[in-house]
Amino acid sequence: PEREDIPPRRREGRPVDWPDDDRLPAIHTFVYSGIRFDPETGIAEFDFVHEGSSQRLCFTEGVKFPLPEGGVGDTELTAFRRVLELLYIAVGTFYYKVSAPPQVSITAMPLAPAAAAWAQQLYREGLAEYAHRHQLEHVLDLPVRSQYRDPVDRLHNLGGSGRTPLVGFSGGKDSVVALEVLKSGGLNPAAFTTDRRVKPQLEPLMRRAQVRLLRVRPRPDPQLKQLMRHTALLRGHAPLTAMTSLVGTAVAALHGL
């Protein structure tokens, strides 16, 4: 269902129609074409393009992040934007599977050497099962091209910073135990969830645990559901754990946790 709090997406290029086996080979590059974040609304948008010699398939993923009550500070926003770029790369692995072209180009932003190497590894290892299932050997040695950026001048170790720990919360026993372990250690953790639809059991659990819950609301491009109904989107694993971990890191950066 459409969400009223996220505006309609901008479209680029020709409208998407359903790709078929004869036309998909004409797509040669998966492009990360644009990333945006509005600190007033908390909405991030990730643009992806399947570029081909005879067609251009365009998608936009939306994500609404919870904002701090007092607004976003400059330091937190800077850290958040760097994490958001990594999340953008991770989310792109799912959209890549629509056509699985022979190369990937990250044009939306430059990457530091470590981030570029991580992106290459994420595609190779995160999509290995997908590549094996569909006999797509090129995915295991996929060139992921990006422009160079200087790395940050220093790292920040937050282990002893006294910041509030953040726990990914699904309502299952593992996340409940993680919260209780932290609380028994004298900490006051917060929790985040990435469910598109809020589970009814979360609210009473949060009240009982007396823990603040930060909701991240992803909005996949509606065309993905239609593509899956038409079996045009190939099945297979994507690095969902990396995506969820980066969502949590982004929330922590945004809220200074």
Side-chain angles (χ1 to χ4, degrees):
E2 296 294 324
R3 304 193 74 100
E4 296 180 355
D5 51 358
I6 299 181
R9 294 182 177 81
R10 176 174 53 86
R11 291 283 174 231
E12 298 176 352
R14 60 182 291 184
V16 173
D17 53 354
W18 310 131
D20 55 47
D21 292 341
D22 293 332
R23 295 169 59 204
L24 281 178
I27 296 176
H28 51 72
T29 307
F30 178 67
V31 182
Y32 288 78
S33 56
I35 177 174
R36 298 174 298 283
F37 177 70
D38 184 349
E40 299 297 323
T41 63
I43 295 173
E45 291 185 311
F46 304 147
D47 294 334
F48 308 102
V49 176
H50 293 257
E51 198 73 63
S53 57
S54 60
Q55 65 177 330
R56 197 168 189 255
L57 310 179
C58 303
F59 298 90
T60 299
E61 169 101 3
V63 184
K64 184 173 176 59
F65 287 91
L67 295 173
E69 292 183 1
V72 185
D74 292 341
T75 300
E76 288 77 14
L77 186 58
T78 298
F80 170 80
R81 289 187 184 278
R82 294 298 286 263
V83 178
L84 194 67
E85 292 173 356
L86 300 182
L87 177 60
Y88 178 32
I89 294 171
V91 170
T93 60
F94 187 80
Y95 284 85
Y96 167 84
K97 297 193 300 174
V98 170
S99 66
Q103 59 186 354
V104 173
S105 177
I106 301 173
T107 62
M109 72 278 180
L111 296 177
W118 172 82
Q120 188 86 45
Q121 187 177 22
L122 186 71
Y123 266 87
R124 178 182 175 86
E125 298 187 7
L127 295 180
E129 184 273 344
Y130 165 77
H132 175 75
R133 175 183 293 193
H134 299 287
Q135 298 181 345
L136 299 173
E137 294 186 5
H138 69 275
V139 175
L140 299 177
D141 194 26
L142 192 67
V144 180
R145 299 186 175 90
S146 62
Q147 295 180 338
Y148 174 84
R149 169 195 280 172
D150 289 330
V152 294
D153 55 357
R154 63 192 180 95
L155 300 177
H156 300 274
N157 185 355
L158 303 179
S161 65
R163 293 191 179 193
T164 299
L166 182 66
V167 176
F169 193 79
S170 65
K173 59 186 178 183
D174 291 340
S175 51
V176 171
V177 169
L179 287 176
E180 293 303 320
V181 167
L182 290 170
K183 290 171 62 180
S184 66
L187 300 171
N188 184 28
F192 78 94
T193 181
T194 58
D195 292 329
R196 291 195 293 273
R197 298 177 183 85
V198 178
K199 296 178 181 179
Q201 70 268 28
L202 289 185
E203 288 290 352
L205 281 173
M206 290 294 97
R207 286 195 298 269
R208 182 177 300 178
Q210 297 182 332
V211 170
R212 177 174 50 142
L213 179 63
L214 300 169
R215 293 193 179 99
V216 179
R217 290 177 284 179
R219 183 191 178 189
D221 194 301
Q223 297 172 107
L224 279 180
K225 287 185 178 180
Q226 299 176 32
L227 284 168
M228 292 180 73
R229 292 192 192 105
H230 287 72
T231 67
L233 180 60
L234 293 176
R235 311 291 178 168
H237 290 300
L240 295 178
T241 300
M243 297 180 205
T244 303
S245 299
L246 286 165
V247 167
T249 305
V251 171
L254 196 61
H255 288 257
L257 303 177

